Amino acid sequence: MRPVAATTVALLRSSHPEPTVAVTVMVTALAVTTGRDLPGVLLVAAAVLTGQLSIGWLNDLLDAERDVAVGRQDKPVAAGAVTRRTVAVATLLAAVACLPLSLASGIAAGLVHIVAVAAGWAYDLGMKSTALSVLPYLVCFGLLPVFVVLGLPGTPVPPWWLPAAGALLGAGAHFANVLPDLADDAATGVRGLPHRIGVVGSQVAAALLLLAATVLLALNAPLPAVFSWGVPVLAVVILTAGFRAGRRPGSRAPFRAVLVVAAVAVVLLVASGPALLAQPGVTAAVSRGPG
């Protein structure tokens, strides 16, 4: 049983577990706060999890040669802890499972989620090495909250600011996510947008995009006034302090500040769920139900 357990652990590590779990939890929490019943919440969680697993596994599968070239022993495929064939089969199974799980929330919602996952695949399949590397993140994260809302009874259309904030959050996450790997990526020929603008440019881009997402959510979601004005101010203070501390050689303060603001934006996104139900168009659609 030990080889099986070791392979399973390596396979899970190969899925990029941190972002996979983070995205799944975020979208599932939004499903809870927008009033999806328990079966609906579980379907959202399963659809998003399988979609994110397929994206993560495909990424490691396609990056195996690059990871071997730079000696990435933290990558299970490159380290030989799991075979490429196993990861390829897992990728396919996750992608196949994602299709019916997505469509179980309704045709419109399901198709939106399938497009979001396809954007993640497009990133893995080559867009990560182009100047348009941020585009898949804009599409995927912009569509994920739309998937949740369209899956409500009556298929209500979410307010414009919700996908816009999701897209900004995703774009900011892209610039923040690649910062630790910029050197290794550059050594293997990956030339996405963050690599082209450099470390400082990526830090600034991540900060501004996540701040914009925070402001958009705080000002447009019908939340208490203390959140509408206080949270953006808090985000500015955190980013300012982080970038000032980052002037010291070797400091990771800007990166940590960006991560904190990203967490704030995610909390606001999830917290906007109950407020969405108060929107006139959404309330009317939910009241009418699927018929």
Side-chain angles (χ1 to χ4, degrees):
M1 293 297 291
R2 286 186 177 180
V4 174
T7 299
T8 301
V9 171
L11 183 62
L12 291 176
R13 286 175 50 220
S14 181
S15 69
H16 293 233
E18 293 86 357
T20 293
V21 170
V23 173
T24 302
V25 169
M26 177 186 74
V27 181
T28 302
L30 184 61
V32 171
T33 59
T34 52
R36 293 286 290 267
D37 57 16
L38 181 58
V41 169
L42 293 177
L43 284 171
V44 167
V48 175
L49 177 60
T50 52
Q52 293 301 308
L53 284 173
S54 76
I55 294 170
W57 278 325
L58 180 63
N59 186 280
D60 255 29
L61 183 64
L62 296 176
D63 280 357
E65 292 293 342
R66 296 191 184 99
D67 293 336
V68 169
V70 295
R72 291 291 298 270
Q73 291 300 302
D74 59 317
K75 294 286 189 175
V77 179
V82 63
T83 66
R84 298 184 193 187
R85 177 181 173 83
T86 298
V87 176
V89 171
T91 302
L92 180 60
L93 291 176
V96 170
C98 180
L99 297 176
L101 288 170
S102 299
L103 294 171
S105 289
I107 299 298
L111 290 176
V112 163
H113 185 247
I114 290 169
V115 172
V117 174
W121 274 53
Y123 178 83
D124 292 345
L125 289 168
M127 289 194 72
K128 67 185 295 179
S129 297
T130 74
L132 297 177
S133 62
V134 70
L135 183 59
Y137 277 82
L138 287 166
V139 173
C140 184
F141 279 78
L143 291 180
L144 286 174
V146 178
F147 163 57
V148 173
V149 176
L150 283 177
L152 291 168
T155 318
V157 177
W160 68 270
W161 50 265
L162 186 64
L168 289 169
L169 177 59
H174 172 48
F175 286 99
N177 188 50
V178 301
L179 281 171
D181 299 326
L182 281 178
D184 285 346
D185 288 343
T188 55
V190 176
R191 288 279 295 165
L193 184 57
H195 310 86
R196 296 166 192 254
I197 65 176
V199 174
V200 175
S202 294
Q203 289 176 339
V204 172
L208 292 178
L209 287 163
L210 292 169
L211 179 60
T214 303
V215 171
L216 192 60
L217 286 165
L219 296 183
N220 285 280
L223 299 171
V226 64
F227 291 109
S228 298
W229 297 105
V231 173
V233 171
L234 175 63
V236 170
V237 170
I238 292 170
L239 290 171
T240 301
F243 277 83
R244 284 177 64 90
R247 294 174 181 174
R248 297 192 300 269
S251 174
R252 290 175 59 84
F255 179 63
R256 295 192 181 100
V258 165
L259 292 184
V260 171
V261 174
V264 170
V266 169
V267 170
L268 276 179
L269 180 67
V270 172
S272 68
L276 287 173
L277 297 179
Q279 298 284 305
V282 175
T283 302
V286 173
S287 300
R288 287 197 303 271

